Amino acid sequence: MSFFDGIPVAPPIEVFHKNALYLNETAPVKVNLTIGAYRTEEGQPWVLPVVHETEVEIANDTTLNHEYLPVLGHEGFRKAATELVLGENSPAIKEGRSFGVQCLSGTGALRAGAEFLASVCNMKTAYVSNPTWGNHKLVFKKAGFTAVNDYTFWDYDNKRVHIEKLLADLEAAPEKSVIILHGCAHNPTGMDPTQDQWKSICEVIKRKNLFTFFDIAYQGFASGNPDADAWAIRYFVDQGMEMVVSQSFAKNFGLYNERVGNLTVVVNNPAVIAGFQSQMSLVIRANWSNPPAHGARIVHKVLTTPARREQWNQAIQSMSSRIKEMRAALLNKLTELQTPGTWGHITQQIGMFSYTGLTAAQVDHLIAEHKVFLLSDGRINICGLNTKNVDYVAKAIDETVRAVKSNI
Ligand code: LMR
């Protein structure tokens, strides 16, 4: 007899499970297109040179210590992260209507933001895009939201943002619902609304008195330009919207396991900030008490030292360029093979992922027959491709769509 008798075994977390299946695979030829982490042309993880140099400098800085950070985090980091996403000349910054809260990467920022909205503001209905990142619903449910609904995002037939249904779903959402929007490089589809579509989305959210929760995990990584990738968020700020924005520095700094993130908060009245920050301090205190310093120090130094920031700009440009090259290479090869179906979306999509349109049965076939590992919804991490394996992957997709029929 145990206190824990009868606990059902939960399903595995797909992205980590598939990654483990790849790592345990003994076949001589295998390809990992699962987890969203950057890989070099050699298929290896990449420590950005500017991150490495900054880490060495931090390690040698004897003025630093390992004392606790404040509950809301490293002050310089919070400011730099907020400026990165809102832009240094943001009206919200100039008018003292914004601030950052250091969190445990993007997930921690989502969790702290969600828990704050549920427990302090009594907002308990959220809407996530369909499809969305595999963790969004879980985070909001565990944080106290009683309803986590979908809004339509993807037009599966035409492989585009289904803007008409998206807007209709937002129109139907009850007042004060929290709308989770991907700031750029939508995960998993890799397709963002156009600027005109963002304007329509903002208009509905404002008119219906819904609350905006942006999640931006790929700033700079998507287009190579951090300002361009923050366009939608800055547009919402310009329209006078209040919001919270979860930011991750996992992908754009390659700091995946350092858990560096920020929750940027924009309010329309600076008088509410004292109450907000004091209640948020309690949310953080009850979760991780105070955040880790290492990653925050790195991001702070890089963003606030002009020469380092330039090195970082070059690194994100080189990562995003390699991804674009791999998109083009995959599309070219599929075109050359005359693979059944349409594949132009591979180069229209941006960021790390392509939502290929492959069915779950085709994914199973790709894994079983070709040892090409990807998620069951057909999402591939383009970073897993390189000049040595892209032809192999294209041929594997070609064989698969001929062997396992679907309507793509
Ligand atoms: C992904 O989507 O693959 C990454 O963001 C990793 C994760 O935590 O899911």
Side-chain angles (χ1 to χ4, degrees):
M1 155 76 183
S2 161
F3 284 109
F4 310 114
D5 278 343
I7 296 180
V9 176
I13 298 165
E14 191 194 8
V15 67
F16 299 120
H17 176 64
K18 285 270 175 72
N19 191 49
L21 288 180
Y22 165 82
L23 293 173
N24 294 334
E25 175 59 57
T26 54
V29 179
K30 57 179 183 173
V31 181
N32 189 0
L33 306 180
T34 64
I35 197 158
Y38 184 74
R39 296 286 174 263
T40 61
E41 166 64 18
E42 288 70 44
Q44 295 304 314
W46 195 40
V47 179
L48 276 57
V50 67
V51 165
H52 178 70
E53 283 168 30
T54 309
E55 278 184 306
V56 170
E57 190 180 281
I58 288 170
N60 287 328
D61 184 345
T62 52
T63 66
L64 296 174
N65 57 50
H66 296 290
E67 291 291 302
Y68 293 119
L69 287 185
V71 173
L72 295 183
H74 182 295
E75 224 167 281
F77 164 79
R78 294 165 55 198
K79 184 167 180 286
T82 301
E83 285 177 3
L84 180 70
V85 71
L86 299 183
E88 280 162 31
N89 297 318
S90 171
I93 294 178
K94 286 196 174 139
E95 292 156 18
R97 297 188 288 110
S98 61
F99 58 92
V101 178
Q102 188 187 336
C103 294
L104 301 193
S105 204
T107 305
L110 285 163
R111 170 72 192 217
E115 196 176 316
F116 180 91
L117 294 173
S119 65
V120 180
C121 307
N122 199 29
M123 291 174 171
K124 297 205 172 157
T125 300
Y127 282 76
V128 299
S129 65
N130 181 10
T132 194
W133 179 49
N135 204 14
H136 272 152
K137 282 193 172 174
L138 185 65
V139 169
F140 277 79
K141 280 183 188 157
K142 296 270 186 201
F145 275 70
T146 49
V148 184
N149 305 318
D150 291 334
Y151 63 84
T152 306
F153 185 81
W154 193 238
D155 176 347
Y156 286 85
D157 293 332
N158 300 303
K159 299 193 176 65
R160 60 165 191 129
V161 177
H162 204 318
I163 189 66
E164 302 81 10
K165 279 199 177 165
L166 188 162
L167 294 173
D169 288 348
L170 295 186
E171 287 278 355
E175 204 186 17
K176 282 182 82 178
S177 296
V178 176
I179 311 298
I180 293 102
L181 301 165
H182 301 227
C184 67
H186 182 271
N187 178 3
T189 69
M191 200 80 97
D192 291 330
T194 63
Q195 292 190 356
D196 279 344
Q197 290 172 345
W198 275 123
K199 288 178 184 173
S200 304
I201 293 168
C202 183
E203 188 277 321
V204 178
I205 291 179
K206 191 172 188 176
R207 178 166 45 76
K208 300 292 289 190
N209 201 22
L210 307 172
F211 184 77
T212 305
F213 198 138
F214 270 109
D215 179 6
I216 186 160
Y218 298 90
Q219 191 182 352
F221 197 97
S223 68
N225 178 346
D227 293 319
D229 288 351
W231 185 89
I233 292 171
R234 295 179 190 178
Y235 175 80
F236 274 53
V237 172
D238 288 344
Q239 300 311 301
M241 309 289 284
E242 293 194 301
M243 69 181 76
V244 295
V245 183
S246 64
Q247 291 169 267
S248 165
F249 294 91
K251 328 274 177 179
N252 54 9
F253 274 76
L255 285 169
Y256 304 90
N257 69 15
E258 295 296 344
R259 314 311 289 147
V260 200
N262 187 62
L263 186 77
T264 287
V265 180
V266 177
V267 298
N268 56 21
N269 177 5
V272 304
I273 291 179
F276 193 122
Q277 290 193 346
S278 63
Q279 295 293 343
M280 182 55 97
S281 297
L282 300 185
V283 170
I284 304 283
R285 176 74 172 141
N287 277 287
W288 53 80
S289 190
N290 25 49
H294 185 65
R297 284 177 177 153
I298 296 169
V299 172
H300 171 240
K301 261 185 189 285
V302 171
L303 289 179
T304 58
T305 314
R308 297 248 152 116
R309 186 154 177 156
E310 185 45 38
Q311 275 178 281
W312 175 66
N313 278 334
Q314 281 165 14
I316 52 178
Q317 272 164 30
S318 91
M319 289 191 282
S320 64
S321 308
R322 201 185 84 72
I323 292 172
K324 283 179 203 149
E325 282 161 24
M326 286 305 111
R327 286 185 184 281
L330 180 60
L331 177 60
N332 284 347
K333 193 67 191 176
L334 291 171
T335 309
E336 187 188 308
L337 294 168
Q338 299 187 343
T339 305
T342 55
W343 301 96
H345 54 282
I346 292 175
T347 51
Q348 286 155 17
Q349 295 164 342
I350 60 160
M352 218 173 227
F353 304 116
S354 176
Y355 207 47
T356 58
L358 293 163
T359 64
Q362 290 171 335
V363 169
D364 288 345
H365 183 91
L366 270 167
I367 295 173
E369 300 300 322
H370 301 285
K371 309 304 173 197
V372 173
F373 291 79
L374 66 161
L375 301 197
S376 57
D377 64 359
R379 187 193 88 171
I380 59 173
N381 176 12
I382 294 283
C383 305
L385 297 174
N386 54 56
T387 53
K388 293 176 216 63
N389 68 17
V390 66
D391 285 3
Y392 175 81
V393 170
K395 283 183 195 151
I397 292 175
D398 183 77
E399 188 281 329
T400 299
V401 298
R402 291 177 198 277
V404 186
K405 294 278 179 257
S406 85
N407 58 358
I408 59 171

